[in-house]
Amino acid sequence: MNASLSTVTYAVQDVHTALPAAAASASSLWDRFVDGFGGQPDPDAWVVFVTAALALAAVLPAGAWRIARNAVTITHEGGHGLVAVLTGRRLDGIRLHSDTSGLTVSRGRPTGPGMVLTAFAGYTAPPLIGLGGAALLATGHIRVLLWVATALLLIMLVMIRNAYGVLTVFVTGGAFLLVSWLAGPQVQAVFAYTAVWFLLIGGVRPAFELQGRRRRGGARDSDADQLARLTGVAAGLWLFVFHVIALASLIGGGSWLFGL
């Protein structure tokens, strides 16, 4: 009986010791979460220039672009999927392929504003999301940007319908999550600025690639061609709009990142 009482006494003491520690840990996590919505200090000036150079190194060389383009495809197809849901269409799934192509399937009216906006969202998503990211970074919300990106990638993961797509989105989302929770402010700044620069710069190249393929007689079922069939406006004009949005986002976002 005495041994049993001693065991109970020690167990109660352990509980009393563990509860404050758990509460303190939860409080610390909550404080960190709340603090993340406040502004972080501006990074050193070199961060803006070095991360822009890193993004250029991922976009301009053909070899690096073949790998890095997967991130643009994730954003492109995510843009289709997000706008499809926002316009009331039913999103059946998203597939991402190792050749950096992708496919988003949604159900609803085959014509009308919802379908037009869904088709329009693909090529415009990377530069516009990059522009939004630049706005967050310009106001010091580095951790907020990382959290928003993580949340969007986790939501997108649910809609992926092939193994390669699951792998690429899981790895990308995991990288954002690890950096947002485990890395220090300087590493977070480098990661966030590189990601935003990449979307701004990398968002320009796909429209030029599509223009080149169409000039050679290919890609006749592209987003621009689908928009032409939906609206009666020539595919070349839609391509021009893609170029304008991408270049304007790069100029505007780059100005914010440089503090101009």
Side-chain angles (χ1 to χ4, degrees), residues 15-239:
V15 170
H16 281 300
T17 303
L19 284 177
S25 177
S27 177
S28 176
L29 286 173
W30 176 253
D31 290 341
R32 186 174 180 183
F33 178 77
V34 173
D35 290 343
F37 287 94
Q40 283 83 48
D42 292 335
D44 297 334
W46 65 266
V47 170
V48 181
F49 292 94
V50 169
T51 54
L54 289 174
L56 281 170
V59 173
L60 295 183
W65 177 243
R66 277 194 295 271
I67 299 172
R69 199 183 193 284
N70 283 285
V72 173
T73 302
I74 290 173
T75 314
H76 179 115
E77 299 303 332
H80 282 314
L82 177 61
V83 173
V85 171
L86 291 177
T87 56
R89 298 180 63 79
R90 177 182 173 183
L91 181 60
D92 282 350
I94 299 172
R95 301 178 70 88
L96 305 172
H97 305 125
S98 58
D99 64 353
T100 72
S101 65
L103 176 67
T104 299
V105 179
S106 63
R107 294 185 185 181
R109 289 184 57 193
T111 59
M115 189 62 206
V116 171
L117 290 173
T118 299
F120 182 72
Y123 279 92
T124 58
L128 289 178
I129 291 176
L131 183 64
L136 285 174
L137 294 182
T139 54
H141 292 93
I142 296 172
R143 196 173 293 133
V144 171
L145 180 142
L146 297 174
W147 288 347
V148 170
T150 302
L152 291 174
L153 287 165
L154 289 177
I155 293 171
M156 184 177 178
L157 184 62
V158 178
M159 298 308 303
I160 298 295
R161 295 294 181 264
N162 66 320
Y164 182 81
V166 169
L167 177 63
T168 55
V169 174
F170 181 81
V171 170
T172 306
F176 274 91
L177 181 62
L178 290 174
V179 170
S180 65
W181 280 102
L182 300 180
Q186 194 79 315
V187 174
Q188 289 181 351
V190 170
F191 187 86
Y193 272 77
T194 302
V196 170
W197 273 122
F198 176 75
L199 288 178
L200 290 172
I201 298 172
V204 174
R205 183 164 178 172
F208 283 100
E209 292 177 333
L210 175 57
Q211 185 175 357
R213 290 197 301 272
R214 295 189 77 260
R215 189 182 297 117
R216 294 189 295 271
R220 291 302 174 182
D221 197 35
S222 68
D223 292 352
D225 293 281
Q226 291 182 40
L227 286 166
R229 290 193 290 270
L230 288 167
T231 64
V233 177
L237 183 57
W238 286 111
L239 260 175

